């Protein structure tokens, strides 16, 4: 095997000709995954055809190896491709060796060892095949005849060996000799492709695996880090570094990918796409790394931080950090994970104090929770946090001062995004507007919010796992409840999932309460009277829509206290902006002038008494953009269902500034252009709403943005309503 060209050879001839060589399955390779029921069975079937003379030879595939010279007597063949079939070949040879040994054929045992199984020239190394670290113990037990020491009885190594050993004995019982079996194994031929150390082994490896089972980003990164090291150093680094990364993060490839993605985010200050993690990691490493060992050491350090943030037991933290991390884990967003990891690193390096760290996490929680609970699409902030991290870190490092890091975080995360339509954090007023009539029952952060209300400033221990969300006014509108509330079913359902109608109750009580009346439910709730959420409910003698309204307001206020809006500097401030309710009053005043008295209202939809005209009212605050004023609205089809019988349908746009401007646009005009607007999608890919962006230009012209198929603006000045 001296030349570097591909060579066609028999399996056993390949082993026989590799004098002074050890075949090494590198630690970066996949584990031995062939199974007796599938791949090994096919291996045996092909072998049997050759043994029985059905055909002279059979092609088994390609083995690619990197030849590494240890000294003038010893070499390593590091297997790049073909480890599964090579390991199976050795197991087959050891099955034959076992037969020789059991039948006291020691000369045959010695020849098999000398020619095929032992690397006799290698000082201190006995066996020609060195498997993966994970497979090595079982393999050693087999070759050293220590079967009783095998602890992992489900290992593919021992299962396949037993399968092959059984088959060897079956063949011998059929009249074939062990020599026949060894000779037939050499008729299984392969093409071996040696590559030299000066070739780009990683690129070859990537090319080979592109055609097989796709490697994950974590697989490729592990290979990249370990491949160029000699076998002994590979084993050392695998045990001392890679295993520790897996212990801290996970052996799951997706979670390892997330870890490396977050690591890159705090190194490159950008969130790379999932399918680019490996490419970006290698590019960054080659440009910035001070060596594989130092890189590994840093990766282990950050993997410990990753474990702390995501998995360390909460009771091991002080009360403030425990509360912050508990909420962060419940919010379940990976987007700011790299930023939070960097804050923990700063704390470890004594650059920020222990009392600052939880406040940083809480600030991020407030930003995330307010947006999520108001049902604002997170896609708009998918790449926000690396930029925030870059600006905060650069500012602190340039000043060599981390004492103002909380202020800097809030300014970058919140203050600088006030004028944007996609990345803003809802103010207290916006929280009220978003939540006062909202159906919040299905929102992911509802339980986070209710749990935090219950736990905050509560000296009594509460087992949240024994609680579930309960509707005070039950989900099924029974005749008893409709009569009790003196309302119709439509109004009942509109109030059912409002925040004020939801609480926490013991799971066992939840099933007992079901659809029963208020007096009965209230008696059951008294059993959990120690719950803070229910303290204000228990004295109420009659639960009605007014109670829901008042409790909704109270809970929104409490949420704003628990997840506060920060003190920030805002360019183009909005202190004099007309508030939401005043803007709606202006819009309704216009509708009254168009329809006369007796208009009907359902949520944000209004119709004339004769149903000739219907209006859906939406409002937006101003988002200054240079000399222009920008307003963002969401178009949803559902509100128009409330005015479906009206012959004329309009959408009223209340553009809030110091004075609210009103535009009245026919729904037909908007529907014709829905395909031109950007959209927000739900998890199933369905359209949640269309984005309508309106500009007021300095010269007084009003325009609407059309985003698809290309960006352009159309004049909508004709729809402006004057005098209100």
């Amino acid at each position: 095997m001296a030349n570097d060209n591909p060579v066609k050879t028999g399996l056993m001839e390949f082993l026989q000709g590799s004098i002074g060589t050890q075949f090494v399955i590198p630690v970066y390779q996949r584990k031995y995954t062939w199974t007796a029921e599938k791949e090994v069975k096919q291996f045996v079937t092909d072998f049997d055809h050759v043994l029985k003379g059905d055909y002279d030879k059979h092609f088994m595939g390609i083995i690619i190896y990197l030849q590494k010279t240890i000294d003038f007597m010893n070499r390593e063949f590091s297997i790049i491709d073909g480890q599964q079939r090579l390991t199976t070949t050795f197991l087959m040879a050891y099955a034959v060796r076992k037969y020789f040994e059991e039948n006291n054929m020691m000369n045959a045992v010695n020849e098999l060892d000398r020619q095929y199984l032992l690397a006799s020239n290698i000082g201190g190394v006995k066996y020609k095949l060195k498997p993966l670290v994970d497979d090595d113990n079982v393999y050693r037990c087999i070759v050293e005849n220590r079967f009783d020491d095998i602890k992992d009885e489900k290992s593919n190594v021992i299962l396949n060996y037993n399968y092959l050993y059984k088959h060897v004995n079956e063949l011998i019982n059929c009249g074939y000799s062990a020599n026949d079996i060894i000779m037939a194994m050499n008729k299984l031929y392969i093409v071996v492709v040696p590559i030299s150390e000066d070739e780009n082994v990683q690129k070859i490896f990537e090319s080979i695996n592109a055609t097989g089972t796709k490697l994950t980003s974590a697989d490729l990164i592990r290979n990249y880090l370990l491949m160029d090291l000699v076998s002994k150093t590979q084993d050392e680094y695998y045990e001392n570094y890679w295993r520790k990364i897996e212990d801290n993060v996970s052996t799951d490839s997706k979670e390892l990918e997330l870890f490396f993605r977050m690591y890159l985010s705090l190194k490159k200050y950008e969130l790379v796409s999932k399918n680019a993690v490996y490419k970006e990691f290698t590019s960054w490493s080659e440009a910035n790394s001070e060596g594989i060992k130092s890189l590994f050491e840093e990766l282990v350090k950050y993997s410990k931080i990753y474990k702390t943030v995501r998995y360390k037991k909460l009771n091991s933290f002080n009360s403030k950090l425990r509360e912050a991390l508990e909420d962060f884990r419940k919010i379940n967003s990976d987007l700011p994970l790299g930023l939070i990891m960097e804050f923990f690193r700063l704390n470890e390096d004594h650059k920020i104090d222990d009392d600052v760290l939880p406040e940083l996490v809480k600030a991020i929680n407030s930003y995330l929770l307010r947006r999520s609970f108001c049902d604002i699409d997170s896609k708009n902030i998918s790449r926000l946090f690396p930029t925030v991290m870059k600006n905060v870190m650069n500012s602190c490092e340039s000043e060599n001062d981390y004492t103002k890091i909380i202020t800097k975080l809030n300014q970058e995360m919140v203050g600088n995004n006030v004028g944007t339509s996609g990345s803003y954090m809802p103010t207290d007023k916006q929280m009220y507007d978003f939540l006062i009539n909202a159906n919040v029952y299905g929102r992911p952060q509802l339980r986070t919010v209710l749990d935090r209300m219950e736990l905050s400033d509560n000296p009594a221990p509460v087992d949240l796992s024994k609680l579930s969300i309960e509707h005070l006014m039950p989900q099924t509108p029974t005749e008893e409840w409709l009569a009790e509330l003196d309302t119709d079913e439509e109004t009942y359902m509109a109030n059912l999932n409002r925040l004020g109608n939801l609480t926490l109750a013991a799971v066992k009580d939840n099933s007992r309460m079901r659809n029963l009346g208020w007096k009965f439910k209230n008696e059951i709730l008294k059993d959990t009277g120690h719950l803070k959420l229910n303290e204000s409910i228990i004295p109420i003698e009659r639960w009605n829509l007014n109670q829901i309204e008042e409790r909704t307001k109270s809970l929104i206020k409490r949420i704003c206290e628990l997840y506060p809006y920060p003190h920030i500097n805002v360019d183009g401030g909005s202190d004099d902006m007309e508030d939401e309710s005043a803007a709606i009053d202006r819009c309704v005043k216009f509708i009254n002038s168009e329809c006369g008295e007796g208009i009907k209202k359902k949520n944000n939809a209004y119709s004339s008494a004769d149903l000739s005209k219907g209006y859906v009212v939406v409002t937006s605050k101003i988002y200054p953009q240079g000399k222009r004023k920008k307003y963002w609205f969401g178009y949803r089809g559902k509100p128009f269902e409330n005015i479906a019988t009206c012959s004329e349908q309009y959408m009223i746009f209340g553009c809030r500034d110091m004075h609210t401007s009103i535009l009245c646009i026919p729904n037909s005009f908007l529907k014709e252009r829905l395909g031109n607007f950007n959209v927000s999608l739900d998890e199933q890919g369905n359209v949640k709403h269309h984005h309508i962006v309106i500009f007021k230009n300095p010269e007084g012209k009003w325009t609407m943005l059309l985003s698809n198929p290309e960006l352009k603006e159309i004049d909508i000045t004709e729809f402006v309503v004057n005098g209100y």
Side-chain angles (χ1 to χ4, degrees):
M1 314 303 300
N3 65 64
D4 289 337
N5 297 316
V7 176
K8 174 183 172 183
T9 182
L11 264 174
M12 302 307 285
E13 184 182 350
F14 177 52
L15 303 186
Q16 191 177 37
S18 53
I19 299 172
T21 300
Q22 184 176 45
F23 295 95
V24 176
I25 310 297
V27 291
Y28 55 76
Q29 284 278 21
R30 293 190 187 96
K31 293 181 180 180
Y32 180 57
T33 58
W34 275 19
T35 62
E37 297 79 13
K38 190 176 180 181
E39 295 89 353
V40 178
K41 183 178 181 181
Q42 185 61 52
F43 179 95
V44 165
T45 299
D46 295 335
F47 170 79
D48 286 353
H49 282 304
V50 172
L51 179 66
K52 294 172 184 178
D54 295 338
Y55 38 79
D56 290 336
K57 293 183 178 181
H58 180 74
F59 177 60
M60 293 299 293
I62 297 174
I63 292 179
I64 301 176
Y65 62 88
L66 171 65
Q67 180 174 309
K68 296 182 179 181
T69 300
I70 307 301
D71 53 41
F72 77 95
M73 292 186 299
N74 305 313
R75 297 174 298 170
E76 283 184 358
F77 284 179
S78 183
I79 305 302
I80 306 301
D81 190 45
Q83 69 121 328
Q84 304 287 334
R85 62 182 64 91
L86 185 63
T87 303
T88 304
T89 300
F90 273 99
L91 291 176
M92 181 84 160
Y94 273 105
V96 175
R97 185 185 187 281
K98 182 71 171 174
Y99 171 80
F100 286 151
E101 197 172 49
E102 289 178 339
N103 288 275
N104 202 29
M105 301 167 66
M106 299 312 296
N107 287 337
V109 168
N110 293 334
E111 280 304 305
L112 198 59
D113 284 346
R114 186 181 67 82
Q115 294 191 49
Y116 304 111
L117 301 179
L118 299 184
S120 56
N121 286 359
I122 299 181
V125 178
K126 186 175 182 181
Y127 306 111
K128 181 157 285 198
L129 175 68
K130 182 177 181 294
L132 275 173
V133 173
D134 288 337
D135 300 321
D136 194 23
N137 288 336
V138 176
Y139 183 78
R140 275 187 180 277
C141 288
I142 291 172
V143 301
E144 294 174 3
N145 205 16
R146 295 185 291 106
F147 292 91
D148 290 342
D149 293 339
I150 295 176
K151 296 179 181 179
D152 185 4
E153 296 179 355
K154 294 183 179 180
S155 163
N156 284 329
V157 176
I158 187 59
L159 293 175
N160 293 347
Y161 170 82
N162 289 336
Y163 179 86
L164 292 166
Y165 175 73
K166 179 181 178 183
H167 189 69
V168 166
N169 279 275
E170 289 172 350
L171 291 174
I172 290 173
N173 289 336
C174 290
Y176 296 100
S177 69
N179 185 65
D180 294 333
I181 294 172
I182 293 294
M183 296 302 292
M185 287 178 69
N186 200 47
K187 294 181 180 180
L188 300 175
Y189 75 93
I190 55 175
V191 171
V192 295
V193 182
I195 58 177
S196 61
E197 291 184 87
D198 58 355
E199 296 182 73
N200 192 326
V201 180
Q202 180 69 5
K203 293 295 183 185
I204 295 171
F205 187 85
E206 292 169 24
S207 177
I208 293 167
N209 283 281
T211 60
T213 302
K214 189 173 178 62
L215 290 173
T216 65
S217 297
D219 290 330
L220 290 168
I221 289 172
R222 180 191 64 224
N223 300 351
Y224 166 78
L225 292 171
L226 296 169
M227 182 171 279
D228 289 338
L229 304 173
V230 298
S231 176
K232 183 178 179 181
T233 307
Q234 280 182 0
D235 292 348
E236 177 188 336
Y237 279 33
Y238 181 84
E239 286 295 330
N240 294 340
Y241 300 119
W242 186 262
R243 269 201 189 278
K244 288 181 180 178
I245 293 171
E246 288 186 331
D247 289 343
N248 290 328
V249 178
S250 173
T251 56
D252 178 72
S253 59
K254 288 186 177 180
E255 183 141 19
L256 281 168
E257 180 184 83
L258 173 63
F259 165 71
F260 283 108
R261 196 176 181 217
M262 292 302 108
Y263 177 77
L264 284 172
S265 76
L266 56 87
K267 288 297 179 181
K268 291 170 61 68
Y269 295 133
E270 64 178 274
L271 186 65
V272 302
S273 61
K274 292 180 180 179
N275 59 9
V277 171
Y278 166 67
K279 179 182 177 182
E280 294 293 338
F281 181 86
T282 54
S283 297
W284 175 85
S285 174
E286 288 166 5
N288 297 279
S289 176
E290 297 179 358
I292 292 297
K293 185 174 182 180
S294 62
L295 177 56
F296 259 129
E297 289 171 345
E298 185 172 70
L299 286 169
V300 170
K301 177 177 180 176
Y302 275 108
S303 73
K304 290 178 181 176
I305 294 173
Y306 181 95
K307 180 180 181 180
T308 297
V309 174
R310 285 175 66 85
Y311 300 118
K312 189 174 181 180
K313 291 183 178 180
L314 290 170
N315 59 14
S316 62
F317 300 103
N318 64 53
S319 60
K320 289 185 177 180
L321 189 54
R322 178 171 64 246
E323 177 182 314
L325 276 181
E326 183 176 29
D327 276 356
F328 174 70
R329 292 177 185 179
K330 287 181 178 179
I331 291 169
N332 194 29
S333 173
D334 297 331
L335 296 176
L337 179 56
L339 176 58
I340 290 178
M341 287 169 61
E342 190 69 344
F343 288 154
F344 270 76
R345 197 269 303 172
L346 291 175
N347 179 247
E348 283 188 5
D349 293 346
H350 306 292
K351 292 184 177 179
I352 60 174
D353 296 335
D354 290 346
D355 59 339
V356 172
L357 181 59
E359 295 305 316
L360 291 167
V361 180
K362 285 182 179 181
I364 293 171
N365 289 345
S366 294
Y367 176 83
L368 291 173
L369 187 132
R370 283 189 175 223
R371 288 179 55 86
S372 177
F373 202 45
C374 290
D375 201 28
I376 303 173
D377 196 344
S378 64
K379 290 180 181 178
N380 295 314
I381 60 169
S382 60
R383 304 192 183 277
L384 168 71
F385 289 101
T387 303
V388 169
M389 184 184 346
K390 176 182 179 180
N391 295 337
V392 170
M393 295 299 294
N394 286 347
S395 177
C396 291
E397 288 171 0
S398 65
E399 298 170 6
N400 195 26
D401 181 8
Y402 291 85
T403 59
K404 299 178 182 178
I405 192 169
I406 297 174
T407 301
K408 294 179 185 294
L409 170 66
N410 281 323
Q411 186 60 40
E412 291 293 337
M413 182 172 63
V414 182
N416 294 354
N417 289 298
V418 167
T420 66
S421 60
S423 304
Y424 72 97
M425 176 180 179
T427 63
D428 291 2
K429 181 64 175 64
Q430 288 170 323
M431 290 285 284
Y432 179 89
D433 294 340
F434 274 119
L435 298 174
I436 187 63
N437 292 307
N439 176 347
V440 299
Y441 183 55
R443 297 190 180 179
Q445 301 312 324
L446 174 62
R447 185 61 195 259
T448 306
V449 165
L450 295 180
D451 285 354
R452 181 51 54 207
M453 288 183 188
E454 186 57 45
L455 293 175
S456 181
D457 300 324
N458 190 346
V462 179
D463 187 352
L464 296 173
S465 67
K466 294 183 178 180
L467 303 178
S468 63
I469 297 173
E470 167 69 8
H471 285 78
L472 297 172
M473 185 175 74
Q475 295 188 65
T476 302
T478 63
E479 292 297 327
E480 178 185 354
W481 269 97
L482 291 174
E484 176 74 14
L485 297 174
D486 189 23
T487 191
D488 57 82
E489 186 172 335
E490 190 174 7
T491 304
Y492 184 102
M493 296 305 294
N495 285 273
L496 175 65
N497 294 316
R498 291 177 69 189
L499 183 58
N501 193 50
L502 303 170
T503 192
L504 293 176
V507 174
K508 59 181 179 62
D509 292 339
N510 199 320
S511 59
R512 288 170 61 201
M513 286 186 276
R514 294 175 298 175
N515 301 323
L516 297 172
W518 175 248
K519 285 188 177 181
F520 183 82
K521 294 188 89 169
N522 204 8
E523 285 300 316
I524 295 176
L525 286 173
K526 288 178 182 178
D527 293 339
T528 53
H530 62 284
L531 295 182
K532 292 182 66 177
L533 265 174
N534 298 337
E535 286 178 352
S536 61
I537 299 174
I538 292 172
I540 298 174
E541 296 183 0
R542 181 172 177 267
W543 189 251
N544 54 36
L545 301 183
N546 184 58
Q547 297 287 356
I548 294 174
E549 175 80 9
E550 293 305 312
R551 187 167 181 268
T552 299
K553 292 178 182 178
S554 174
L555 293 184
I556 293 172
K557 181 180 178 182
R558 183 60 178 146
I559 293 171
C560 292
E561 292 169 351
L562 291 171
Y563 302 95
Y565 194 87
H567 297 290
I568 51 173
N569 295 319
V570 181
D571 293 333
S574 55
D575 292 343
D576 296 327
M577 184 189 304
E578 189 165 59
D579 65 27
E580 180 86 1
S581 58
I584 292 175
D585 288 344
R586 286 187 188 276
C587 295
V588 173
K589 184 178 179 182
F590 163 72
I591 295 171
N592 273 320
S593 70
E594 291 289 298
C595 300
E597 296 299 323
I599 62 171
K600 299 177 182 178
K601 175 182 182 296
K602 184 175 180 183
N603 296 327
N604 63 331
Y606 301 80
S607 57
S608 60
D610 60 0
L611 300 181
S612 61
K613 295 181 180 180
Y615 302 85
V616 171
V617 176
V618 290
T619 70
S620 168
K621 73 171 188 175
I622 181 177
Y623 297 97
Q625 284 206 337
K627 295 182 179 180
R628 301 209 301 171
K629 297 178 179 180
K630 175 182 175 181
Y631 303 90
W632 179 90
F633 304 88
Y635 178 97
R636 298 170 174 82
K638 193 169 183 62
F640 284 96
E641 295 175 4
N642 297 323
I643 56 171
T645 57
C646 297
S647 53
E648 296 180 31
Q649 298 177 15
Y650 300 90
M651 195 163 194
I652 303 290
F653 295 88
C655 302
R656 294 193 292 126
D657 195 354
M658 293 177 65
H659 178 89
T660 296
S661 300
I662 299 174
L663 291 88
C664 180
I665 303 180
N667 189 34
S668 57
F669 177 91
L670 299 171
K671 289 175 71 174
E672 288 174 8
R673 292 163 177 79
L674 287 182
N676 302 120
F677 301 134
N678 284 335
V679 299
S680 289
L681 305 176
D682 62 19
E683 293 180 355
Q684 288 72 43
N686 302 313
V687 175
K688 291 202 301 185
H689 57 265
H690 295 76
H691 300 270
I692 296 181
V693 178
I694 293 175
F695 294 101
K696 183 179 182 182
N697 297 278
E699 71 277 14
K701 179 181 176 182
W702 290 79
T703 57
M704 177 180 286
L705 177 67
L706 303 183
S707 302
N708 300 303
E710 60 184 6
L711 288 175
K712 68 176 184 178
E713 294 179 25
I714 58 173
D715 191 344
I716 56 170
T717 309
E718 63 179 296
F719 300 116
V720 175
V721 174
N722 295 311
Y724 295 92

